[in-house]
RNA sequence: GGCGGCAUAGCCAAGUGGUAAGGCAACGGUCUGCAAAACCGUCAUCCACCAGUUCGAAUCUGGUUGCCGCCUCCA
């Protein structure tokens, strides 16, 4: 199957072919760095991280640009509140962004440009738009004239006339059309600013993406992504700016991810229910968060609740438990797999790729993992595993690890994963592990003496302490429930 | 008011023309001293509702109802 991608522009799934064979030029709108990243940022970044990894895995050479908006009203306001310099504030949150994303095992984009480092390109682009008569200057501001761009509203399916009818915005009398938007804003006192032909000022929000994408990716991008909310006005305005300047189509495939709700409510300032990534990661393993986020299709809204995260955790445990079982049974480990390279593609990988080829259907792809977990466990349950069966198990192991590599999960060795899980459980529940060990030992002694009553009593006591017991061939293990 | 999206079992969720993946929960079984884990089995004659197109629809069309998002900063 060939890769199909849902294109916001056509509202259809289309066969994906890059403009230049074998190369993909992709731009995704990054954060405005004025506050900590919330779980919604995590979804967007993780979704496009997986898209980036998958495109590379199927053989594309991908140039992926994700920007930082590091100058804007929100940053300035916040910096003023805190009484610090706006660039200090931006720097602080860029660092936090990296901390969060590294924790979430997000790969770095190929290029991660900042708006403030591309003022020259922005000014040049605005000058071009002015010279074409598409942008106009009023006092120290420059506006884009939406009437000058034929296709305005095409991405979001809006018509200017319709929007006028329901206009709820304050009309700035200096604008030719209420929907004209700022390309350049003149500086107020004490605001960060740069020299320009129109006086001191700073770029508007939308222009930086047009300037930086053409700088690094050319006039026509294969893929441009971002959250659904950016469709209007941000991406609509980007199209208007870029196409007006270059005269070429700006983006071939628009990809937009859905929102994250918290307990069925939209995250919003008024509800005060913003869930920050760093706080979520205090409670859950980063791979649990990734597995959760990817278990729904990227375009659908997703509801973030404790229950669903716990389910994702159970699922991740299940996959790691299988990996551990296979490693014990076959003596293989991920070092050996790595050395062997990613030769050969088993059935599981092929099914995974089919799911991903259908508009990056990671939800279906995850279903395939669990399906495989079950069938491999079934093989491992056999007393005598045939060499043929063992080969299938090994191939399954390779495939699952390779899939994990695309989804950004299963990066740890199972023993490390489970040990860390136990340790964090001990810390969170302030559990006295020496005491538990002692009780488990006592129970083992009782079992040896076939004193079942005593053994079961101890197990019940442990259970009351939320400790689960597992008797295996290698001895008794305990985990936190 | 304008534009767009969604509605699948107790819950989560794939499936977009060929007769309902997967996960969680529940129940029965194999295994086990008993458990746990793993596995096996049961769990939607049916996909919000109504009409239509079709040999055939959860999937297409029209309508109804309900929920949600965007139109103002927002991933």
């Amino acid at each position: 199957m060939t890769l199909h991608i849902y294109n916001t522009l056509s509202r259809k799934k289309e066969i994906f072919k890059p403009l230049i064979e074998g190369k993909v030029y992709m731009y995704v709108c990054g954060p405005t760095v004025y506050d900590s990243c919330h779980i919604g940022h995590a979804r967007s970044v993780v979704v496009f991280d997986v898209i980036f990894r998958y495109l590379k895995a199927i053989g594309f050479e991908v140039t992926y640009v994700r920007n930082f908006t590091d100058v804007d009203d929100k940053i300035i306001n916040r910096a003023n509140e805190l009484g610090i310099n706006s660039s200090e504030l931006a720097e602080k949150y860029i660092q936090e962004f990296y901390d969060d994303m590294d924790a979430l095992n997000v790969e770095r984009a190929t290029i991660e440009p900042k708006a403030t480092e591309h003022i020259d390109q922005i000014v040049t682009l605005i000058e071009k738009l002015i010279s074409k008569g598409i942008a106009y200057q009023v006092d120290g501001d420059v506006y884009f004239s939406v009437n000058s761009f034929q296709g305005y509203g095409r991405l979001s399916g809006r018509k200017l006339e319709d929007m006028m009818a329901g206009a709820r915005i304050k009309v700035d009398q200096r604008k030719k059309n209420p929907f004209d938007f700022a390309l350049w804003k003149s500086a107020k006192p004490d605001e960060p600013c740069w020299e320009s032909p129109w006086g001191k000022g700073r770029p508007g929000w939308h222009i930086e993406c047009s300037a930086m994408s053409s700088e690094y990716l050319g006039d026509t991008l294969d893929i441009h992504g971002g959250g659904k909310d950016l469709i209007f006005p941000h991406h609509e305005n980007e199209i208007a700016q870029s196409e007006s300047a270059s005269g070429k189509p700006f983006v071939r495939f628009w990809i937009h991810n859905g929102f994250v709700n918290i307990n069925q409510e939209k995250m919003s300032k008024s509800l005060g229910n913003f869930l920050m990534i760093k706080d979520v990661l205090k409670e859950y393993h980063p791979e649990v968060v990734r597995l959760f986020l990817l278990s729904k299709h990227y375009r659908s809204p997703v509801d973030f609740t404790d229950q669903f995260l716990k389910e994702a955790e159970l699922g991740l445990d299940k996959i790691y438990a299988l990996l551990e079982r296979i490693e014990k049974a076959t003596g293989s480990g991920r070092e050996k797999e790595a050395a062997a390279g990613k030769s050969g593609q088993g059935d599981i990988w092929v099914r995974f790729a089919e799911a991903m080829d259908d508009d990056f259907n990671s939800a279906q792809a995850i279903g395939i993992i669990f399906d495989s977990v079950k069938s491999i466990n079934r093989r491992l349950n056999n007393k005598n595993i045939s060499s043929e069966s063992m080969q299938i198990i090994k191939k399954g192991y390779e495939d699952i690890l390779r899939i994990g590599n695309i989804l950004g999960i299963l990066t740890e060795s199972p023993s490390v994963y489970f040990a860390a899980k136990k340790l964090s459980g001990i810390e969170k529940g302030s559990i006295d592990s020496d005491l538990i060990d002692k009780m488990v030992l006592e129970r083992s002694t009782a079992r040896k003496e076939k004193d079942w009553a005593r053994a079961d009593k101890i197990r019940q006591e442990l259970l009351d302490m939320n400790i689960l017991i597992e008797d295996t061939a290698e001895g008794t293990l305990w985990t936190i429930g």
Side-chain angles (χ1 to χ4, degrees), chain A residues 313-330:
Chain A
E313 183 169 33
L314 230 46
L316 188 65
D317 286 356
K318 195 169 174 155
I319 304 170
Y320 267 116
L322 174 81
L323 295 180
E324 187 165 49
R325 243 189 126 184
I326 298 174
E327 288 174 14
K328 275 185 186 148
T330 64

Side-chain angles (χ1 to χ4, degrees), chain A residues 8-23:
Chain A
T8 308
L9 194 57
S10 63
R11 289 170 235 287
K12 282 195 296 247
K13 282 184 198 170
E14 298 174 14
I15 293 174
F16 178 74
K17 266 188 83 176
L19 198 58
I20 300 169
E21 201 182 331
K23 291 182 192 247

Side-chain angles (χ1 to χ4, degrees), chain A residues 262-317:
Chain A
I262 308 292
N263 298 316
Q264 295 173 28
E265 282 180 333
K266 179 183 154 78
M267 277 194 280
S268 74
K269 293 264 191 294
S270 55
L271 289 164
N273 60 349
F274 273 83
L275 207 46
M276 298 307 178
I277 293 173
K278 56 185 176 185
D279 294 325
V280 171
L281 291 179
K282 284 177 196 155
E283 294 299 317
Y284 299 100
H285 187 109
E287 292 187 5
V288 168
V289 177
R290 284 188 75 116
L291 186 65
F292 165 74
L293 290 173
L294 296 169
S295 63
K296 259 203 169 197
H297 189 94
Y298 76 86
R299 279 188 278 123
S300 310
V302 63
D303 193 24
F304 193 102
T305 70
D306 241 26
Q307 186 209 331
F308 299 153
L309 267 287
K310 292 223 164 73
E311 282 179 17
E313 183 169 33
L314 230 46
L316 188 65
D317 286 356

